[in-house]
Amino acid sequence: MSKQADRARQFFKDLKKGPVAPIYFVHGEETYLLDRAVEAIVEAAAPEGTNDFNLDTFQGRSASGDAIRSAAEMLPMMSKRRLVVVRDMQEIPLSELGQLEDYFANPSPTTCLILHARTAQKKIDGRSGIIKKLKKAAEVCEFKALYENEIPAFLERQAARRGMRLSRQVVQYLVDAVGTDMAELEQSLEKIDLYIGAAPEGGGRQVDIDEVQEIIAHTRVRTVFDLTDALGARNYQQALLIMERMLLDGQSALVISHMISRHFRIVARLQDPALRSANNSDAARAVGVSPFFLKDYQRHARTFAPDELASILRQMLEVDVALKSSPVPDRVILELLFARICMKALPQRA
């Protein structure tokens, strides 16, 4: 388990132990855990439940700093504590958040102010003075997207809570077909749960791969294969159109980059001479994909030369760093990557 996962788990444990802090700031790329964090804070701050008198909710751009501060400074009515929840804080201009500077320095002891920010699409400038003051005043937890090798444990835990057992093959299929977004994976488990019905008396339910393939539409992996197919065909314009569609659908540039990188790592591994003669089951197991998707990876392994794949993988490392730290727009970084892959005449480095 990563240090990030350890910190997230500790955050939820601390909430149960108490005491409740006057300000919480939860932010990050993983929307599923962010939503769970807000729910857990609300439950800890108002174990008796909430009511309209003592709960105010603000949303993104429509929220003003003055209105948030006024709500937080009000006294609770027939309750121990007021709750003020601000969702999508990343959409609030820093000038508006500046109206809360005095409140951060001296928060109301009878209010729990929860600030929630989804940063997959829009980052928050941690260098700004008001964000630094917020972090100093609040209990803070960042929920980054899980690494791919952490997803199987998540799936197994969530399935066990529903009384289901997932084979390794089922887990890998879900990762390939759905992706690593925890909310979408949870929705997939919900579909499987409803489909296979109640557990037999005295035991859990074993989930078979045939059932999962029937239930789960693999739209996400089809999208990334559309993109990698376009890149493999050196079709720059088509790759740009698919990328644009993915961004409009809410996919982050960093996630798109990770999906492309994972794809080409698998393609490179399939060029190992030992795997060329292996049967499909052994080859799929060796590279960690579902046999259902193996033929697509094998096709791309025949398309790219080994030195091309090595170059692409080096570029993917540069792109990962650039998306996390460069002031250049994410879309431009991806466009440059696609150009390097699709147009051999271009230099390998920007």
Side-chain angles (χ1 to χ4, degrees), residues 56-71:
D56 284 287
T57 302
F58 297 88
Q59 186 71 39
R61 289 184 181 274
S62 62
S64 72
D66 282 338
I68 296 169
R69 189 185 66 235
S70 296

Side-chain angles (χ1 to χ4, degrees), residues 121-337:
Q121 297 297 322
K122 186 174 183 179
K123 300 176 178 64
I124 292 177
D125 186 1
R127 299 167 298 179
S128 68
I130 191 62
I131 298 300
K132 288 180 179 179
K133 289 175 181 178
L134 166 59
K135 289 182 175 180
K136 185 177 180 180
E139 288 291 325
V140 182
C141 190
E142 180 180 7
F143 296 95
K144 295 181 180 178
L146 292 187
Y147 294 113
E148 188 174 314
N149 62 3
E150 295 175 303
I151 292 297
F154 166 77
L155 282 169
E156 288 164 4
R157 285 196 306 270
Q158 297 304 102
R161 290 175 183 171
R162 298 173 179 274
M164 300 189 299
R165 295 190 300 272
L166 307 181
S167 67
R168 180 179 296 181
Q169 190 179 21
V170 167
V171 169
Q172 189 59 61
Y173 180 88
L174 287 171
V175 173
D176 286 338
V178 181
T180 57
D181 184 276
M182 296 170 72
E184 293 186 13
L185 288 168
E186 181 68 18
Q187 290 174 1
S188 296
L189 290 176
E190 175 75 15
K191 292 178 184 178
I192 295 169
D193 191 5
L194 293 171
Y195 181 86
I196 66 177
E201 187 174 350
R205 295 168 293 170
Q206 182 66 44
V207 180
D208 297 326
I209 185 64
D210 291 342
E211 294 173 318
V212 175
Q213 289 176 353
E214 183 176 349
I215 300 163
I216 304 301
H218 38 275
T219 53
R220 168 162 296 194
V221 79
R222 287 298 89 192
T223 301
V224 75
F225 271 124
D226 287 342
L227 180 55
T228 52
D229 273 342
L231 293 173
R234 315 286 184 185
N235 191 333
Y236 179 64
Q237 293 300 327
Q238 181 67 11
L240 290 183
L241 288 173
I242 296 169
M243 176 194 71
E244 195 69 34
R245 185 176 69 220
M246 294 175 76
L247 292 173
L248 289 173
D249 286 343
Q251 192 66 269
S252 76
L254 192 60
V255 170
I256 292 173
S257 169
H258 287 174
M259 293 165 77
I260 296 171
S261 181
R262 173 181 183 267
H263 178 85
F264 282 113
R265 285 199 306 272
I266 293 170
V267 169
R269 291 174 65 190
L270 282 171
Q271 292 189 338
D272 183 339
L275 293 180
R276 290 177 184 171
S277 58
N279 60 47
N280 284 352
S281 296
D282 291 342
R285 190 179 305 110
V287 298
V289 301
S290 167
F292 185 84
F293 300 109
L294 182 66
K295 62 183 183 298
D296 295 298
Y297 291 105
Q298 289 174 326
R299 176 164 50 85
H300 294 142
R302 293 189 294 269
T303 300
F304 288 87
D307 61 334
E308 289 180 303
L309 288 172
S311 175
I312 289 171
L313 292 175
R314 285 195 299 271
Q315 293 170 45
M316 296 307 308
L317 292 175
E318 296 174 7
V319 167
D320 185 70
V321 172
L323 289 173
K324 292 176 180 176
S325 59
S326 173
V328 177
D330 291 350
R331 181 180 278 98
V332 174
I333 294 172
L334 288 180
E335 288 175 358
L336 287 171
L337 170 68

